[in-house]
């Protein structure tokens, strides 16, 4: 965001790529894109920053691309984040209404503040408080209960949370690039904003992002967020399986996946082979496309089994009338829709934007931009009618010169990767 304007800037901070979008609301209230940028992502593993200097280099590069397209200087950046410890939790708050027995905006504000100020153990912080329902005298009301009559109101919320340590690292990295951290959006919710329509959310739908480092999902029912999850493996693990199974280098394994990868071995009816070239005098070897597919299928089935477990955990598995919307680079594999349908018992389709800006529509349809597009919509929605007072940039982004200044200070060995099965306790 730029000082004195309603410009919004967002970065989708993925494991394999970083996408940045800039935009604002038009006079008619439509979303307008002012700049787009995309660079390979470095320093990110499983959606989290693990090498600060490399992450700074990637963020610097993507913001420099964006800067060249904008008149205003970027000073605040919102981030779509997919760290494996990003999650949502449920919270209920209740209060009695006043003497008139009518729900007022004060009642709603007090309930919201109670949820927002909840103390959470294990050093997590609350990023977003999302109301899911209000119950007045045991009867469920719409999400706009002000004016309803009753003696008691109960509010139910989804709290989007992330480890405070990771939040501080995000803040530190962006400040080193010369900008401030604005909002942090759960990447699954940002993707759902772009790829899941309101009727689909109402009927019950899952948005599933199978990226490089993580598999993220968000489940909606009755137009409310029901469940989110981050599964800490995705396309990069498939690439590693191909590396081992084909006895080849990681780069060639990725190329095999992208060019010839299929999700179902039984769907390959030919015996066509792929030659895997070797270097340093080693003889080339061949592998059938069907064998490649079986290697990929085994890992995909494991990922989808984890997805099924999360859908069951949501409590609405039998009410998902829409099905699953698939996004992320791994979703481009042939026959993956068939595999997902078979293993989940739900309908499935590939993601496409259900929202489009007032301009640059063809560009906005790029599948790589989906999460960033949803984050931009969320950012613009929050900024309409409220110009933030923004600071002057602390440093100038100057490519390698910046890296020289900060690399030594930020290369401290901070490892955020703990036990994947770590339990959390909440008050």
């Amino acid at each position: 965001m730029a000082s004195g304007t309603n410009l919004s800037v967002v970065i989708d901070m993925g494991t394999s790529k970083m996408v940045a979008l800039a935009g604002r609301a038009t006079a008619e209230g439509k979303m307008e894109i002012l700049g787009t940028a995309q660079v390979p992502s470095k320093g990110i593993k499983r959606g989290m920053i693990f090498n600060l200097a490399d992450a700074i280099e990637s963020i610097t590069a993507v913001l420099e691309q964006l800067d060249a397209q904008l008149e205003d200087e970027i000073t605040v950046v919102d981030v779509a984040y997919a760290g494996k410890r990003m999650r949502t939790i449920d919270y209920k708050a209740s209060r009695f209404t006043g003497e008139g027995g009518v729900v007022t905006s004060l009642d709603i504000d007090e309930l919201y503040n109670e949820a927002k100020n909840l103390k959470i153990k294990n050093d997590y912080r609350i990023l977003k408080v999302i109301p899911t329902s209000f119950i007045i005298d045991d009867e469920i009301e719409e999400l706009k209960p002000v004016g309803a009559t009753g003696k008691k109101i109960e509010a139910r919320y989804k709290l989007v949370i992330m480890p405070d340590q990771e939040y501080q690292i995000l803040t530190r990295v962006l400040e080193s690039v010369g900008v401030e951290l604005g909002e942090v959006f759960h990447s699954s919710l940002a993707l759902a904003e772009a790829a899941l329509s309101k009727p689909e959310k109402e009927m019950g739908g899952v948005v599933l992002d199978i990226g490089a480092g993580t598999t993220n999902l968000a489940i909606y029912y009755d137009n409310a967020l029901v469940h989110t999850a981050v599964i800490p493996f995705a396309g990069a693990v498939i690439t590693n399986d191909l590396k081992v199974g084909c006895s080849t280098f990681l780069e060639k394994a990725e190329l095999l996946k992208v060019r010839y990868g299929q999700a179902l071995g039984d769907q390959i009816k030919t015996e066509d082979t792929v030659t895997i070239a070797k270097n340093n005098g080693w003889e080339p070897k061949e592998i059938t496309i069907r064998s490649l597919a079986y290697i990929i299928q085994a890992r995909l089935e494991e990922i989808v089994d984890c997805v099924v477990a999360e859908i069951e955990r949501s409590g609405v598995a039998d009410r998902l009338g829409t099905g699953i919307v698939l996004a992320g680079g791994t979703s481009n594999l042939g026959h993956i829709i068939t595999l997902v349908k078979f293993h989940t018992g739900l309908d499935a389709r590939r993601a496409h934007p259900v929202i489009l800006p007032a301009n640059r529509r063809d560009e906005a349809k790029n599948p790589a931009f989906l999460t960033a597009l949803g984050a931009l919509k969320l950012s613009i929605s929050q900024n309409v009618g409220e110009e933030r007072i923004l600071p002057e940039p602390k440093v100038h982004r100057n490519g390698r010169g910046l890296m020289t200044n900060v690399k030594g200070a930020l290369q401290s060995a901070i490892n955020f990767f703990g036990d994947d099965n770590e339990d959390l306790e909440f008050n």
Side-chain angles (χ1 to χ4, degrees), residues 320-361:
L320 298 176
T322 296
I324 298 175
V325 177
L326 277 167
T330 305
S331 70
N332 293 322
L333 290 167
H335 303 297
I336 192 171
I337 298 295
T338 303
L339 183 145
V340 169
K341 286 181 178 180
F342 179 78
H343 280 270
T344 65
L346 297 170
D347 200 2
R349 68 166 174 86
R350 282 190 173 86
H352 58 78
V354 298
I355 58 171
L356 286 173
N359 64 336
R360 301 172 76 161
R361 292 195 166 200

Side-chain angles (χ1 to χ4, degrees), residues 84 208 213-217 229-234 302-303 306-307 310:
K84 66 175 184 177
L208 178 62
T214 59
T215 300
N216 309 309
L217 70 150
V230 178
I231 298 165
F233 54 95
E302 182 181 357
I303 292 172
C306 291
V307 171
E310 294 296 340

Side-chain angles (χ1 to χ4, degrees), residues 24-130:
R24 62 163 57 97
T26 65
E28 295 77 25
K30 304 292 185 180
M31 179 170 61
E32 179 184 27
I33 291 180
L34 302 177
T36 66
Q38 181 177 344
V39 300
S41 187
K42 296 193 295 184
I44 310 294
K45 183 177 182 180
R46 297 180 184 176
M48 299 162 52
I49 296 171
F50 78 96
N51 185 299
L52 305 182
D54 285 348
I56 288 170
E57 187 174 3
S58 292
I59 294 170
T60 299
V62 79
L63 289 181
E64 283 179 342
Q65 281 190 20
L66 210 55
D67 265 339
Q69 305 168 52
L70 302 176
E71 296 180 359
D72 298 309
E73 189 167 11
I74 301 168
T75 56
V76 175
V77 173
D78 299 330
V79 172
Y81 188 75
K84 66 175 184 177
R85 296 180 184 175
M86 192 97 163
R87 62 195 65 189
T88 58
I89 60 172
D90 296 312
Y91 183 70
K92 298 178 183 179
S94 63
R95 62 182 280 126
F96 291 101
T97 57
E99 293 183 1
V102 177
V103 178
T104 66
S105 57
L106 178 62
D107 294 322
I108 303 304
D109 290 343
E110 289 292 334
L111 292 169
Y112 176 86
N113 288 331
E114 179 181 332
K116 184 179 180 180
N117 296 320
L118 178 69
K119 301 299 181 184
I120 304 177
K121 295 181 180 179
N122 287 32
D123 297 324
Y124 270 65
R125 72 159 52 207
I126 297 172
L127 299 175
K128 186 76 173 176
V129 178
I130 304 173

